[in-house]
Amino acid sequence: MKKFSFELEDVLSFRKFEQQQAEIELGKALAAEKEIQDKLDALAQQQATVQQQMKGSTDANAIIDAGRFYAFVRTQSEFLLNKITEAKLVTEQKREVLRQCMAKTDSLEELKKVKLSEYNKMVQDEEDKETDDIVTSRILR
């Protein structure tokens, strides 16, 4: 009996490689998204710190500087919010690519399982036939 071989093993290996690459790309997109979110969080933290420091302040220069800082935070936040929106779109695209890769790989894996099951059934049937032949030949002697 010949050994089991799946005709589409090369295609399956390639699909698994594609899936791994899609997982890596999704990871990069998620990291970029998190980096932008971390910058937004840091800005919010800095703004809260400045607000706390400015509470009850009567120094005109400090108040003017705080106003400039708030304007900077607003513009930077808008910029980062636009960036995070773009990053989320890219992340969703990468997720969809990964879903498609996983579906292709899963279908080939399922086909391989079916073929292996058929092969195992064929091997079992052959072994049963051989056993029957041996038993029958002993009985007839």
Side-chain angles (χ1 to χ4, degrees):
M1 167 94 346
K2 68 178 186 172
K3 183 180 164 188
F4 174 74
S5 68
F6 183 55
E7 313 85 39
L8 300 173
E9 191 65 45
D10 292 339
V11 176
L12 179 59
S13 296
F14 178 71
R15 295 289 164 94
K16 285 181 179 179
F17 174 76
E18 279 183 326
Q19 183 177 335
Q20 288 173 342
Q21 294 301 310
E23 288 170 353
I24 290 168
E25 290 299 316
L26 177 60
K28 288 178 183 177
L30 287 170
E33 191 177 317
K34 182 171 179 357
E35 182 181 337
I36 296 168
Q37 184 62 49
D38 289 346
K39 288 179 183 178
L40 275 168
D41 293 344
L43 269 178
Q45 182 64 35
Q46 288 174 346
Q47 183 174 4
T49 302
V50 169
Q51 283 176 340
Q52 190 67 25
Q53 291 171 350
M54 292 308 300
K55 236 181 212 178
S57 176
T58 56
D59 182 12
N61 287 332
I63 294 172
I64 292 171
D65 288 343
R68 288 183 187 144
F69 179 74
Y70 295 148
F72 167 76
V73 168
R74 272 193 303 279
T75 57
Q76 192 67 17
S77 293
E78 287 177 20
F79 173 76
L80 290 173
L81 287 171
N82 288 334
K83 284 288 190 190
I84 202 165
T85 302
E86 292 171 9
K88 286 183 184 227
L89 288 173
V90 169
T91 299
E92 278 309 309
Q93 291 170 347
K94 302 292 182 182
R95 270 196 185 100
E96 184 57 35
V97 168
L98 178 59
R99 267 189 224 108
Q100 291 172 356
C101 287
M102 290 173 72
K104 290 176 184 177
T105 302
D106 289 346
S107 63
L108 280 176
E109 287 283 351
E110 196 60 38
L111 181 61
K112 183 177 180 178
K113 285 180 186 176
V114 168
K115 294 290 185 182
L116 181 61
S117 172
E118 290 172 0
Y119 172 80
N120 288 335
K121 185 180 179 330
M122 185 179 72
V123 167
Q124 186 64 43
D125 289 347
E126 252 185 56
E127 288 175 358
D128 289 347
K129 185 179 181 227
E130 276 184 37
T131 305
D132 285 346
D133 288 347
I134 291 171
V135 169
T136 305
S137 71
R138 285 189 180 161
I139 292 176
L140 293 177
R141 285 187 180 188

